[in-house]
Amino acid sequence: QVQLAESGGGLVQAGESLELSCAASGGVVSLNVMGWYRQAPGKQREMVALFTRVGTTNYSDSVKGRFTISGDSAKNSVYLRMNSLKPEDTAVYYCYANGATYGGVFHNRQYWGQGTQVTVSS
């Protein structure tokens, strides 16, 4: 079973930076995609950034140019560097993964972390 553990959330002022980290455990050999979603109060969960096993990235328009996603496939980890944070970036950020290989079997399903709070004050 895949577990995702996030770290790095917190309270910052507008314009400051934060970095989130997420590591997969549970005997995972590889993950096809890792990334980040977020959910603000009263809003639907939305994709922030995704990182594939081959190194391609995808960002939501709202964070392009400010956030950078990176990954370490050997460690089954993903990172999100968030610069120039805005109050509208305030949300719970969830680590996401899909396509896990463990126990010699490929599992075509999604996995979610518990979430980490990011609060940006104006």
Side-chain angles (χ1 to χ4, degrees):
Q1 184 68 18
V2 177
Q3 293 95 38
L4 302 176
E6 305 111 330
S7 62
L11 170 64
V12 296
Q13 293 189 332
E16 294 184 340
S17 299
L18 271 179
E19 182 163 301
L20 305 182
S21 300
C22 174
S25 62
V28 178
V29 174
S30 65
L31 291 158
N32 280 359
V33 179
M34 294 190 77
W36 297 92
Y37 281 69
R38 68 186 180 187
Q39 188 166 20
K43 294 188 176 181
Q44 289 189 332
R45 191 173 296 190
E46 62 173 359
M47 188 274 289
V48 177
L50 298 174
F51 181 90
T52 73
R53 190 155 56 99
V54 297
T56 57
T57 58
N58 188 28
Y59 295 93
S60 73
D61 289 342
S62 62
V63 307
K64 277 181 184 176
R66 300 188 298 122
F67 291 11
T68 302
I69 191 169
S70 60
D72 186 336
S73 296
K75 296 181 179 180
N76 290 313
S77 297
V78 67
Y79 312 94
L80 186 68
R81 177 68 179 179
M82 304 183 292
N83 295 328
S84 303
L85 282 161
K86 305 175 181 179
E88 51 264 43
D89 294 317
T90 296
V92 177
Y93 284 69
Y94 295 91
C95 183
Y96 164 87
N98 74 38
T101 298
Y102 60 92
V105 178
F106 175 76
H107 302 266
N108 187 22
R109 56 158 291 185
Q110 299 178 344
Y111 306 89
W112 295 93
Q114 298 276 18
T116 184
Q117 178 70 45
V118 172
T119 303
V120 185
S121 64
S122 58

